[in-house]
Amino acid sequence: MMRTVVIGGGPAGMMAAAAARAGGSVCLVEKNEKLGKKLFITGKGRCNVTNAADMETLFANVCTNAKFLYSAFYGFNNTAVMEFLEKAGCRLKTERGGRVFPVSDHSSDVIAALERELKRLGVEIRLHAEVERISVSNGKTTGVILKGGAALKADRVIVCTGGISYPVTGSTGDGYRFARETGHEVKALFPSLVPFEVREAWCRQAMGLSLKNVSLRLLIGGRRVYEGFGEMLFTHFGVSGPLVLTASSYYRQGSEALLLIDLKPALDEEQLDRRLVRDFEENAKKQFKNSLGGLFPAKLIPVMAELSGIDPEKKVCEISRQERQAFGRLIKNLPLTVTGTRGFEEAIITRGGVSVRDVNPSTMESKKVGGLYFAGEVLDLDALTGGFNLQIAWSTGYLAGNSS
Ligand SMILES: Cc1cc2nc3c(=O)[nH]c(=O)nc-3n(C[C@H](O)[C@H](O)[C@H](O)COP(=O)(O)OP(=O)(O)OC[C@H]3O[C@@H](n4cnc5c(N)ncnc54)[C@H](O)[C@@H]3O)c2cc1C
């Protein structure tokens, strides 16, 4: 009988183990004391399991190597994931933007459903068991060696060790080492879906301020690579929040990057200028610094007053047309210079990983070592927020498990 060892009890590993069970005996090896530690914290503890979008949108939300996912996505798509979880006893609901969550809003219910399914299928689960290395003989895997020296023999080994972000959850990048040791290329690793650090010191002044309904552009070398509308947040080091995390997927470390915030995206430049004229007429006798309450939240007023270059003590009626128009341009293009991103500890995902050129997209089997498979975030695949990263884990895990 075919024997499969799955390394890593995250979403990719649990799905791979469930899918592999049909073809023989399966052992799921997890170094933590429980399964799905990262899954537990996903979606702020609610677990955005997938996205209910059509296939085209699923692919469009994958940032790196979308084409590689063709067989995986078509073989086990978002509908299949939802059916799988519902059948295993986890009821789901779809929210704004197609985001799918458990009805209970508890990620623990997703994990419990997967555990029930693994138990029902008779998958052997080994917790507190850390794989040290993968054994290979004559170009084929023969199993794994655990920390402490015990050997687990297997005809197939599926590496589902995740990325290297949020390493406290157990995703410490061991799979990259396994891949290198067995002759695979690993593409450079970067934190992604991660906050930005910026040069401008005023961010600190605005720390804690959340801006809703703004638009954000990311420029690299002067070229716009991302534009989005939504919510962002100022922190002691720079900026964070949904818009910023998405923008980070388009950032390349070391590149000259600029963020431009449009604080009034609903108004074009002319409309904004008319609004400023009106505001300035109403506040004609006030000092400039005391006239901005209707335009910005309190924390941003001193910042905008200073960046405008207009004397803050100046009476509003003395502000020139040029000054007002330049102020309008600032409101629509508030600049922040990106100096880098936060580290892997704060990154939702890892960009880079096991090169997809070394892996067969129809099976997830290595092209270098027979019987060795890779699935989930350990691969050089990443997507935007909205449930798409978990869909990658479910789809590639299922395909790897199901291919024998
Ligand atoms: C805060 C946060 C929120 C997120 N929210 C969402 C969301 O709502 N929706 C979404 O789609 N994505 C979300 N993601 C991303 C998503 O969690 C990951 O893409 C997904 O967990 C990757 O699954 P995986 O199975 O490949 O790896 P992981 O979930 O990282 O699992 C890998 C497992 O392998 C184990 N392991 C590692 N090395 C070894 C070894 N040597 N021996 C044995 N076991 C080992 C680890 O302990 C771990 O349990 C979020 C990520 C974070 C950090």
Side-chain angles (χ1 to χ4, degrees):
M1 190 165 60
M2 176 83 80
R3 170 124 177 110
T4 303
V5 164
V6 179
I7 315 173
M14 287 191 271
M15 189 55 81
R21 184 62 188 97
S25 85
V26 179
C27 178
L28 175 59
V29 183
E30 167 57 56
K31 67 178 171 184
N32 285 329
E33 70 289 357
K34 55 184 173 199
L35 299 176
K37 245 184 159 172
K38 182 172 278 178
L39 199 52
F40 184 71
I41 61 164
T42 56
K44 299 201 169 97
R46 296 171 63 221
C47 187
N48 178 191
V49 287
T50 185
N51 195 291
D54 57 27
M55 292 304 282
E56 202 183 319
T57 310
L58 285 193
F59 284 108
N61 277 274
V62 176
C63 305
T64 312
N65 293 319
K67 275 192 194 143
F68 175 82
L69 284 164
Y70 195 84
S71 297
F73 271 7
Y74 274 101
F76 196 70
N77 66 9
N78 45 1
T79 312
V81 172
M82 290 188 259
E83 278 171 12
F84 179 96
L85 288 172
E86 294 253 0
K87 218 169 132 206
C90 178
R91 290 189 45 231
L92 301 170
K93 60 177 173 181
T94 304
E95 294 190 357
R96 185 177 49 88
R99 290 163 194 250
V100 180
F101 293 91
V103 167
S104 66
D105 283 329
H106 293 308
S107 57
S108 52
D109 287 337
V110 176
I111 301 169
L114 286 157
E115 281 175 332
R116 268 196 307 275
E117 192 57 13
L118 293 174
K119 203 168 275 176
R120 186 185 70 78
L121 291 165
V123 169
E124 181 195 347
I125 298 172
R126 282 207 184 202
L127 300 173
H128 295 291
E130 182 171 340
V131 171
E132 183 83 20
R133 65 188 168 84
I134 292 169
S135 313
V136 178
S137 172
N138 298 325
K140 265 192 89 324
T141 182
T142 55
V144 301
I145 309 291
L146 298 183
K147 203 170 175 183
L152 296 181
K153 290 215 170 310
D155 311 288
R156 299 199 311 148
V157 171
I158 309 179
V159 181
C160 302
T161 46
I164 198 172
S165 55
Y166 270 70
V168 284
T169 60
S171 322
T172 48
D174 299 11
Y176 303 131
R177 177 166 57 81
F178 303 152
R180 281 195 204 97
E181 285 169 358
T182 49
H184 303 82
E185 186 191 355
V186 176
K187 296 282 183 189
L189 307 174
F190 298 103
S192 200
L193 295 179
V194 65
F196 281 129
E197 294 184 347
V198 303
R199 182 168 303 143
E200 287 74 6
W202 63 258
C203 270
R204 216 170 226 288
Q205 248 174 291
M207 182 174 138
L209 172 67
S210 161
L211 294 177
K212 294 197 175 75
N213 303 326
V214 293
S215 119
L216 183 73
R217 271 167 291 155
L218 173 67
L219 273 63
I220 293 190
R223 203 173 62 85
R224 187 182 63 194
V225 295
Y226 169 75
E227 179 163 17
F229 173 83
E231 190 175 342
M232 62 176 289
L233 178 77
F234 292 94
T235 69
H236 64 284
F237 55 76
V239 284
S240 185
L243 265 182
V244 172
L245 298 190
T246 303
S248 75
S249 291
Y250 300 90
Y251 173 72
R252 296 294 172 261
Q253 301 282 342
S255 59
E256 215 170 276
L258 187 71
L259 287 169
L260 292 175
I261 308 169
D262 183 347
L263 294 167
K264 300 287 173 201
L267 306 176
D268 64 25
E269 277 201 21
E270 271 176 37
Q271 290 168 323
L272 177 61
D273 192 50
R274 282 202 292 276
R275 159 90 193 265
L276 289 178
V277 168
R278 227 176 32 242
D279 272 34
F280 283 8
E281 276 168 8
E282 281 167 18
N283 294 298
K285 296 270 151 37
K286 285 189 184 164
Q287 288 181 318
F288 177 57
K289 66 176 182 191
N290 296 326
S291 72
L292 301 172
L295 275 172
F296 313 116
K299 276 194 176 173
L300 219 50
I301 291 174
V303 173
M304 293 303 287
E306 195 187 327
L307 293 176
S308 72
I310 300 171
D311 176 0
E313 316 279 315
K314 199 175 195 171
K315 286 251 176 64
V316 169
C317 57
E318 289 163 8
I319 294 172
S320 72
R321 182 163 174 238
Q322 282 83 349
E323 282 176 321
R324 189 190 69 231
Q325 285 175 341
F327 188 49
R329 285 194 292 276
L330 174 71
I331 294 172
K332 290 199 72 68
N333 299 279
L334 178 59
L336 287 171
T337 320
V338 177
T339 53
T341 67
R342 298 297 275 177
F344 284 110
E345 312 74 41
E346 292 174 49
I348 303 285
I349 47 156
T350 306
R351 183 153 43 83
V354 177
S355 170
V356 296
R357 273 189 302 181
D358 289 347
V359 177
N360 181 342
S362 317
T363 57
M364 297 292 134
E365 187 174 15
S366 158
K367 292 178 184 171
K368 308 265 171 149
V369 178
L372 183 62
Y373 295 72
F374 294 93
E377 203 179 317
V378 72
L379 285 163
D380 180 19
L381 302 167
D382 62 88
L384 297 178
T385 57
F388 303 102
N389 283 294
L390 280 175
Q391 183 62 47
I392 291 178
W394 307 126
S395 292
T396 55
Y398 181 87
L399 182 55
N402 200 34
S403 306
S404 53

